[in-house]
Amino acid sequence: YQRRVRGARSSNGIQGYLVIVQSSVKGAAYLDQRIEAFLLEYQTKLANMSEKEFAEHVKSVIIKKSEKDKRLAQATERFWNEIFTNFYLFNRRDIEIGLLSKITKKEVEDYYALYISPTSAIRRKVSVQLFSSAFAEEMSSPCSLPEGAPPSTKISRIEQISEFKRSLPIFPHIYN
């Protein structure tokens, strides 16, 4: 199977973390289980990381964020995203670089434990699973909780996306 960790991202002002896994051999339940195992493994790796190594990772992120746009389209997309989300932080990269230069390993560990770790009681997760006909049987079976999931975990299968969106309290999206 093929795995890509896309990392932190913001969509319409909402922070998230994206992991994409594709397989023509394994089903969605197995892949979801492997993502959860990866997230637990990374939490251990983060905890065992030295302060020096952490500082090197932070420095590399700062360097990447400091890079000038290579194409006008990149800057245009950044600025339009600020307008679209009504945040208007046209200096967002500078703000993020300033915050990154002050971040501590403990803050990242605490954040990870609270919002990303599969063992967190308050973590929220959206898992979008597309099935090939080879896994049609798995698609029709009931969803099960991943191993080690907190008891408060709930699973909802959404089959009619437009009906689900209409049921949300913030649909349609309206800005103040």
Side-chain angles (χ1 to χ4, degrees):
Y1 56 89
Q2 180 181 20
R3 175 183 75 182
R4 287 190 295 165
V5 178
R6 299 286 301 270
R9 60 183 290 157
S10 180
S11 177
N12 295 320
I14 299 170
Q15 277 300 120
Y17 191 85
L18 176 65
V19 178
I20 299 174
V21 181
Q22 299 171 303
S23 176
S24 59
V25 181
K26 300 287 186 179
Y30 175 81
L31 298 177
D32 195 55
Q33 179 186 39
R34 296 307 308 148
I35 292 169
E36 297 296 299
F38 167 79
L39 292 173
L40 281 172
E41 180 183 320
Y42 191 78
Q43 187 172 13
T44 303
K45 183 177 181 176
L46 180 61
N48 294 331
M49 186 182 294
S50 70
E51 291 290 339
K52 182 181 177 190
E53 185 181 356
F54 177 79
E56 289 170 4
H57 284 292
V58 170
K59 182 180 176 183
S60 71
V61 173
I62 289 173
I63 289 169
K64 182 144 180 77
K65 285 195 169 289
S66 299
E67 288 178 358
K68 299 262 187 236
D69 294 317
K70 291 175 180 53
R71 298 182 326 272
L72 181 60
Q74 290 173 305
T76 303
E77 183 179 340
R78 269 189 311 107
F79 294 142
W80 274 112
N81 186 53
E82 292 300 330
I83 294 167
F84 178 74
T85 59
N86 289 332
F87 283 108
Y88 309 112
L89 290 174
F90 299 110
N91 62 340
R92 180 180 300 275
R93 287 196 305 192
D94 296 332
I95 293 169
E96 289 175 352
I97 289 168
L99 292 170
L100 280 167
S101 65
K102 298 174 190 169
I103 199 163
T104 66
K105 181 176 175 258
K106 172 99 171 81
E107 288 173 325
V108 173
E109 286 178 296
D110 291 347
Y111 182 91
Y112 195 97
L114 194 59
Y115 297 109
I116 298 174
S117 175
T119 59
S120 171
I122 69 161
R123 175 181 89 145
R124 300 293 177 258
K125 172 183 166 182
V126 173
S127 178
V128 177
Q129 302 172 355
L130 304 175
F131 294 83
S132 75
S133 57
F135 296 99
E137 187 177 309
E138 180 183 344
M139 185 176 86
S140 62
S141 66
C143 298
S144 59
L145 289 173
E147 205 172 298
S152 61
T153 303
K154 296 179 201 162
I155 293 181
S156 302
R157 175 175 262 156
I158 301 165
E159 294 183 12
Q160 299 297 324
I161 294 171
S162 57
E163 288 178 28
F164 170 73
K165 286 168 104 178
R166 275 194 288 277
S167 74
L168 296 175
I170 58 171
F171 182 81
H173 186 72
I174 299 173
Y175 288 106
N176 292 334

